[in-house]
Amino acid sequence: MATVTDEGSPAAAETRSALLGLDDRWVTLGAAVLASITMLQASTSTDAVRVPLLTGICIAIVATATIMVVQSAPDPYPLGVTVAMCVALSAGSVATTWNYATPQPGFAAWQLQASATVMLVLAIRGRIAWAWLGTAGVNAPTFVWAHVNGLPPSTAWAMTLPPVMLVGGASLYNRAIRGAIARVHAAEARQRELEIIEARAHLAAKLRDSAHQRVSALALPVLARAHRKRMDAALSEDAAAAESALRDAIHAPALTGGSLGEAVAAARRRGVAVMLRDDSGHQLSPSRAEAVTSAVLPLLQSTQDGRVVIRLAPPASRAHVTVRASGRRSASAEFRWDGEMLCQSSPSPTHE
């Protein structure tokens, strides 16, 4: 029975990434546009910073993280890259905050919103705890800067609250999408169960019809003859042949058709007791059946009395097909599916 996968499973991760559309080139393009807007926003505030070059370095860090976080990757997002992003963005926020040249930085505080975008995607992609740690690392320098410049804490709160709200919303969205993914997987699992049940029922009905047709073809003519006249040697022989054919159809249906089936019937008419067994779990495909028939026929046709056992071995066996002949002369052979002979014992007299 199929089971519902959890958040950390490959199936759930694949579903979340698919829902985010992370393999779509438009998402990468959107991240590039967002990074460009960030660069433009920061470039308009060069008069509010001490070292414009430092701003450029921080922009490069944030832009790289923004594009990387929307790339296709396993979910939850790889831990090593997540930690590196959080550390780099926190360090960039320290540098950007130190770079403020005025108590009213305005657009110079661009890193708060830009970094929040990265943390938002990390939260959606399953790294909620690290998204909050990264948010704390990005926002903490703002509170230190406000304290150093004698500004009230409310100033820092006003600057950092919108990014915090973004990450909070993303965290709630992650929980909601996990529930949606679980429901989708449960529905898919149930659908697969129903399809399997329906397929089994269809196969069972098909097998019943096939068995009914086989029984009718083999047994009805004999029964009709028995109803019309008394049992004689010919009718008894035909009844025994029909019984053997029905037994073969039950125990080894893969061995009952074509030239092999005809050779088995001919051997029984010669007085050879032929037993067919299929322990392979229905491993005999049409191409394999042809190779097996070619391999088995010589030994079966050369046996004139006694008993022959043709067996399809279990899948884990070294030899896939075994043939044992016992009578006045005994012989045996083992084959692979492709007809390759593994071993053979030459016919030898049986000592009684």
Side-chain angles (χ1 to χ4, degrees), residues 13-187:
E14 181 182 354
T15 302
R16 187 189 298 120
S17 295
L19 291 174
L20 289 170
L22 295 178
D23 293 328
D24 194 330
R25 65 179 183 276
W26 293 105
V27 175
T28 302
L29 179 61
V33 171
L34 182 61
S36 300
I37 293 174
T38 299
M39 294 173 62
L40 180 63
Q41 183 182 21
S43 65
T44 61
S45 59
T46 54
D47 57 342
V49 297
R50 299 176 182 178
V51 183
L53 178 60
L54 184 58
T55 299
I57 295 174
C58 294
I59 288 175
I61 294 173
V62 175
T64 301
T66 302
I67 294 176
M68 286 182 60
V69 78
V70 297
Q71 299 304 302
S72 179
D75 290 338
Y77 198 72
L79 180 60
V81 183
T82 300
V83 174
M85 284 183 178
C86 291
V87 171
L89 292 176
S90 298
S93 182
V94 171
T96 303
T97 305
W98 172 85
N99 206 25
Y100 294 161
T102 172
Q104 301 294 330
F107 283 151
W110 58 270
Q111 88 282 0
L112 297 176
Q113 293 290 345
S115 299
T117 302
V118 177
M119 301 305 167
L120 178 149
V121 179
L122 284 178
I124 292 176
R125 301 195 65 171
R127 292 299 182 187
I128 297 178
W130 280 101
W132 281 107
L133 287 173
T135 300
V138 170
N139 290 345
T142 302
F143 286 88
V144 175
W145 166 82
H147 177 73
V148 170
N149 286 274
L151 300 175
S154 59
T155 301
W157 277 115
M159 296 172 65
T160 58
L161 186 58
V164 170
M165 294 177 64
L166 282 176
V167 177
S171 301
L172 294 175
Y173 178 75
N174 177 273
R175 305 300 298 184
I177 201 172
R178 283 175 57 190
I181 290 171
R183 289 189 292 273
V184 168
H185 279 286

Side-chain angles (χ1 to χ4, degrees), residues 287-309:
S287 60
R288 289 175 173 177
E290 184 177 351
V292 168
T293 298
S294 300
V296 169
L297 276 181
L299 184 56
L300 180 61
Q301 292 171 340
S302 64
T303 303
Q304 301 301 318
D305 57 22
R307 175 186 178 89
V308 175
V309 178

Side-chain angles (χ1 to χ4, degrees), residues 115-315:
S115 299
T117 302
V118 177
M119 301 305 167
L120 178 149
V121 179
L122 284 178
I124 292 176
R125 301 195 65 171
R127 292 299 182 187
I128 297 178
W130 280 101
W132 281 107
L133 287 173
T135 300
V138 170
N139 290 345
T142 302
F143 286 88
V144 175
W145 166 82
H147 177 73
V148 170
N149 286 274
L151 300 175
S154 59
T155 301
W157 277 115
M159 296 172 65
T160 58
L161 186 58
V164 170
M165 294 177 64
L166 282 176
V167 177
S171 301
L172 294 175
Y173 178 75
N174 177 273
R175 305 300 298 184
I177 201 172
R178 283 175 57 190
I181 290 171
R183 289 189 292 273
V184 168
H185 279 286
E188 290 177 346
R190 180 56 182 164
Q191 182 62 31
R192 285 193 295 270
E193 279 186 57
L194 294 176
E195 290 174 355
I196 292 172
I197 292 172
E198 183 179 355
R200 285 176 176 171
H202 178 72
L203 179 60
K206 187 175 180 179
L207 291 175
R208 283 194 301 270
D209 293 342
S210 177
H212 182 269
Q213 293 174 4
R214 188 181 299 112
V215 170
S216 298
L218 293 172
L220 287 182
V222 177
L223 293 175
R225 288 169 56 193
H227 178 71
R228 290 194 301 267
K229 66 176 185 178
R230 297 179 62 182
M231 182 70 72
D232 55 18
L235 182 57
S236 178
E237 181 179 338
D238 291 343
E243 179 187 3
S244 298
L246 287 174
R247 189 182 301 112
D248 294 342
I250 294 172
H251 295 295
L255 299 174
T256 58
S259 57
L260 180 58
E262 296 173 359
V264 169
R268 284 170 175 159
R269 287 193 294 270
R270 294 195 303 271
V272 180
V274 182
M275 179 180 179
L276 305 180
R277 290 181 57 187
D278 185 357
D279 298 324
S280 68
H282 307 292
Q283 296 285 318
L284 192 63
S285 63
S287 60
R288 289 175 173 177
E290 184 177 351
V292 168
T293 298
S294 300
V296 169
L297 276 181
L299 184 56
L300 180 61
Q301 292 171 340
S302 64
T303 303
Q304 301 301 318
D305 57 22
R307 175 186 178 89
V308 175
V309 178
I310 303 174
R311 177 177 180 248
L312 303 182

Side-chain angles (χ1 to χ4, degrees), residues 334-346:
E334 297 180 350
F335 307 92
R336 295 189 186 276
W337 286 131
D338 57 5
E340 177 189 357
M341 183 180 295
L342 296 178
C343 64
Q344 180 182 26
S345 64
S346 301

